[in-house]
Amino acid sequence: MTARTSTDTAREIPEATVARLPVYLRALTTLSESGTAVCSSEDLAAAAGVNSAKLRKDLSYLGSYGTRGVGYDVDYLRYQIAREMGATRDWPVVIVGIGNLGHALANYSGFRSRGFRVVALLDADGQRHGEVVAGVVVRPFDDLAAIVHEHGVAIGVIATPAASAQDVADRMVESGITSILNFAPTVLNVGDHVAVSKVDLSKELQVLAYHEQRKATAEEAAKASAAQEPA
Amino acid sequence: MTARTSTDTAREIPEATVARLPVYLRALTTLSESGTAVCSSEDLAAAAGVNSAKLRKDLSYLGSYGTRGVGYDVDYLRYQIAREMGATRDWPVVIVGIGNLGHALANYSGFRSRGFRVVALLDADGQRHGEVVAGVVVRPFDDLAAIVHEHGVAIGVIATPAASAQDVADRMVESGITSILNFAPTVLNVGDHVAVSKVDLSKELQVLAYHEQRKATAEEAAKASAAQEPA
DNA sequence: GCCGTTTTGTTCTCGCGTTCACAAACTCAT
DNA sequence: ATGAGTTTGTGAACGCGAGAACAAAACGGC
Ligand SMILES: NC(=O)c1ccc[n+]([C@@H]2O[C@H](COP(=O)([O-])OP(=O)(O)OC[C@H]3O[C@@H](n4cnc5c(N)ncnc54)[C@H](O)[C@@H]3O)[C@@H](O)[C@H]2O)c1
Ligand SMILES: NC(=O)c1ccc[n+]([C@@H]2O[C@H](COP(=O)([O-])OP(=O)(O)OC[C@H]3O[C@@H](n4cnc5c(N)ncnc54)[C@H](O)[C@@H]3O)[C@@H](O)[C@H]2O)c1
């Protein structure tokens, strides 16, 4: 017998699909807020900016939550995706490095509304201690272990300069954090059991610049060859 | 005759490779600063956090800049990658939406050091006009077209709420911007000739939360099955 | 000048992800 | 009830990227 358990989270969902589920979630929320009760895969795909076949295949990994000939019940599907993603529960988060970026992150309401609760803001700089950002007080970095233990924090955010990032990551892992979102432009070395997600803003700009440059040189090449062989 | 032009930028570089070149660039800079003159693909791959075979293949798309039996000249390779990426020239950039995130971006020195020059900060809110952030004054959003024209801006950054993002993008495209970095959690509809890169911070956290959730349920399942069949 | 050593550049294979295309399943009108 | 019209869920084909493996090239010692 190969019957699934009641919670039914055993299936392997491809990584590429997991990365898109938050986008679908957001699109469904928008649709729901605009009063749409049911939508087709075509509609949702358009809202999420993907191919409808891809959307249907992605959703099929979660289960069969649509109705053929009709479409998907927006709220029902939204709940199913949220449950699968772990978005139905609250995730305590600590942010380390309350500089420019740390302030912005602490003030960002979008985290809260998606189930992430900032339980602590930590900084190594004593000057910053005691400052209140978005209702949370900045505390010494050394309080990390105690806070992680107290709140059962699994997710940590690093917004320190690159030079400190590896140290901070080590301390986070020591304290029991198993998922890290890293904004510092450094490769972090951590154990296999720790998940690291890196966001590199400069990288994104550099990729855009590359394509701009390519466009420019391509145009130039076209012009040159047009000038050379207008035979 | 299929001889290449002198600038030799005609080759198609895979998108996955382009996304890694900035990482190599950063790793090379770090190596150079630490006084390393020559490095092997193994060394550089370790610094960049990738497989050495992948690194060599990536570099091979740019040309043959290494020496067999020796390795790569750090500064030479760095220059070659920088040239290919368009990082040797200056890219004027405008940031629209000077709220929490916009402030952090404007203050970020990492953009400047990688060849991106913030030529203007724009906001629709009159209250913010005149404020000086990182030496640049915040101006009305309506100045966009004039600024783009004056400085030849190709790249725009959107840091407004999601509700305004599409409008801002439309105005950017109208003004002549052809590459957009979007921080608002919305899908932007733009013409094919415009490149859009989206950074979605909540998404990253949600993916981490998913894996945390999976780890938790997997452990539970293992415990349950261990309890059921300790035969 | 030749041989062993090192390390690059490239070829080959495999697996994942995307997309097409269609059968199955559902609704609605008659 | 039945058939026409929709829309989902999925099997199959395809293309791209990752990684292993190796041949070609450079260096150094003798
Ligand atoms: N500001 C941006 O928009 C932006 C954009 C892209 C990337 N980043 C990256 O994000 C990181 C932070 O950028 P920022 O502009 O906020 O820098 P910042 O200098 O304003 O802030 C860094 C903060 O980290 C604290 N810190 C330093 N070492 C620490 C340690 N060991 N433990 C705890 N706290 C420590 C500092 O006291 C400071 O408050 C950097 O790595 C930067 O490259 C920032
Ligand atoms: N703050 C963060 O750390 C963070 C994290 C992730 C995503 N984001 C996203 O980044 C965006 C900005 O976030 P924020 O926290 O800085 O918001 P914010 O409200 O602090 O700032 C938004 C700014 O945009 C301006 N604005 C609004 N409409 C505009 C328009 N049509 N033209 C020009 N300017 C306009 C507002 O006046 C305001 O100054 C949001 O979409 C948010 O979802 C922010």
Side-chain angles (χ1 to χ4, degrees), chain A residues 63-154:
Chain A
S64 190
Y65 297 129
T67 309
R68 297 177 188 218
V70 179
Y72 300 93
D73 182 298
V74 172
D75 288 330
Y76 179 61
L77 180 59
R78 181 158 68 119
Y79 172 73
Q80 293 300 338
I81 297 180
R83 189 177 53 78
E84 188 79 31
M85 293 292 300
T88 49
R89 56 160 282 193
D90 230 48
W91 293 96
V93 170
V94 298
I95 301 177
V96 177
I98 312 303
N100 287 312
L101 189 58
H103 272 88
L105 294 173
N107 277 312
Y108 183 43
S109 58
F111 291 153
R112 186 64 198 256
S113 67
R114 286 179 188 84
F116 300 99
R117 188 162 38 91
V118 177
V119 297
L121 303 175
L122 305 180
D123 203 295
D125 183 357
Q127 300 274 323
R128 295 201 183 274
H129 301 160
E131 184 188 349
V132 177
V133 183
V136 181
V137 65
V138 178
R139 295 170 59 179
F141 179 54
D142 288 333
D143 291 2
L144 178 67
I147 290 164
V148 169
H149 189 73
E150 183 191 346
H151 293 90
V153 178

Side-chain angles (χ1 to χ4, degrees), chain A residues 9-13 15 18-19 22-23 25-26 46-49 83-87 89 91 93 100-101 103-105 107-108 110-111 114 116 154-155 157 178-181 183 185 187 193-215 217, chain B residues 9-13 15 18-19 22-23 25-26 46-49 83-87 89 91 93 100-101 103-105 107-108 110-111 114 116 154-155 157 178-181 183 185 187 193-215 217:
Chain A
T9 14
R11 271 162 299 196
E12 274 299 323
I13 299 182
E15 200 55 37
V18 172
V23 181
L25 214 41
R26 186 123 44 189
R83 189 177 53 78
E84 188 79 31
M85 293 292 300
R89 56 160 282 193
W91 293 96
V93 170
N100 287 312
L101 189 58
H103 272 88
L105 294 173
N107 277 312
Y108 183 43
F111 291 153
R114 286 179 188 84
F116 300 99
I155 302 175
V157 176
T178 47
S179 289
I180 296 176
L181 179 55
F183 286 94
V187 177
H193 66 291
V194 180
V196 175
S197 179
K198 185 178 157 187
V199 174
D200 190 334
L201 307 187
S202 307
K203 185 177 103 176
E204 305 300 327
L205 276 185
Q206 286 175 287
V207 171
L208 289 177
Y210 168 78
H211 289 297
E212 283 295 330
Q213 154 124 326
R214 252 189 69 82
K215 264 186 273 181
T217 55
Chain B
T9 14
R11 270 163 300 196
E12 274 301 323
I13 299 182
E15 202 54 35
V18 172
V23 180
L25 213 41
R26 186 124 43 190
R83 189 177 53 78
E84 188 78 31
M85 293 292 298
R89 55 159 284 194
W91 293 96
V93 169
N100 288 312
L101 189 57
H103 272 89
L105 295 173
N107 276 314
Y108 184 42
F111 292 153
R114 286 180 188 84
F116 300 99
I155 301 176
V157 176
T178 48
S179 289
I180 296 175
L181 178 55
F183 286 94
V187 176
H193 66 292
V194 180
V196 176
S197 179
K198 185 177 158 188
V199 173
D200 189 336
L201 307 187
S202 307
K203 186 177 102 175
E204 304 300 326
L205 276 185
Q206 286 176 286
V207 171
L208 288 177
Y210 168 77
H211 288 298
E212 283 294 331
Q213 155 125 327
R214 252 189 70 81
K215 264 185 273 182
T217 55

Side-chain angles (χ1 to χ4, degrees), chain B:
Chain B
M1 194 178 92
T2 54
R4 296 249 158 73
T5 58
S6 61
T7 45
D8 206 2
T9 14
R11 270 163 300 196
E12 274 301 323
I13 299 182
E15 202 54 35
T17 295
V18 172
R20 280 187 295 268
L21 290 180
V23 180
Y24 302 154
L25 213 41
R26 186 124 43 190
L28 285 167
T29 303
T30 307
L31 284 174
S32 180
E33 280 168 1
S34 75
T36 312
V38 171
C39 71
S40 70
S41 64
E42 206 72 49
D43 298 338
L44 183 52
V50 301
N51 182 297
S52 71
K54 179 151 63 179
L55 168 73
R56 288 199 299 278
K57 184 180 274 195
D58 283 343
L59 295 184
S60 78
Y61 290 114
L62 310 188
S64 190
Y65 297 129
T67 309
R68 298 177 187 217
V70 179
Y72 300 92
D73 182 298
V74 172
D75 288 329
Y76 179 61
L77 180 59
R78 182 158 67 120
Y79 172 73
Q80 293 300 339
I81 298 180
R83 189 177 53 78
E84 188 78 31
M85 293 292 298
T88 50
R89 55 159 284 194
D90 230 48
W91 293 96
V93 169
V94 298
I95 301 177
V96 177
I98 313 303
N100 288 312
L101 189 57
H103 272 89
L105 295 173
N107 276 314
Y108 184 42
S109 58
F111 292 153
R112 186 65 199 257
S113 67
R114 286 180 188 84
F116 300 99
R117 188 162 38 90
V118 177
V119 297
L121 303 174
L122 306 178
D123 203 295
D125 183 358
Q127 299 275 324
R128 296 200 182 274
H129 300 160
E131 184 189 349
V132 176
V133 183
V136 181
V137 65
V138 178
R139 295 169 58 179
F141 180 53
D142 288 333
D143 291 1
L144 179 67
I147 290 165
V148 169
H149 189 73
E150 183 190 346
H151 294 91
V153 179
I155 301 176
V157 176
I158 300 181
T160 66
S164 324
Q166 182 63 56
D167 286 344
V168 172
D170 290 343
R171 292 283 294 275
M172 281 183 169
V173 173
E174 256 175 53
S175 306
I177 281 177
T178 48
S179 289
I180 296 175
L181 178 55
N182 179 32
F183 286 94
T186 330
V187 176
L188 295 181
N189 290 307
V190 297
D192 282 348
H193 66 292
V194 180
V196 176
S197 179
K198 185 177 158 188
V199 173
D200 189 336
L201 307 187
S202 307
K203 186 177 102 175
E204 304 300 326
L205 276 185
Q206 286 176 286
V207 171
L208 288 177
Y210 168 77
H211 288 298
E212 283 294 331
Q213 155 125 327
R214 252 189 70 81
K215 264 185 273 182
T217 55
E219 264 166 37
E220 220 164 284
K223 208 179 292 175
S225 89
Q228 199 168 13
E229 40 176 336

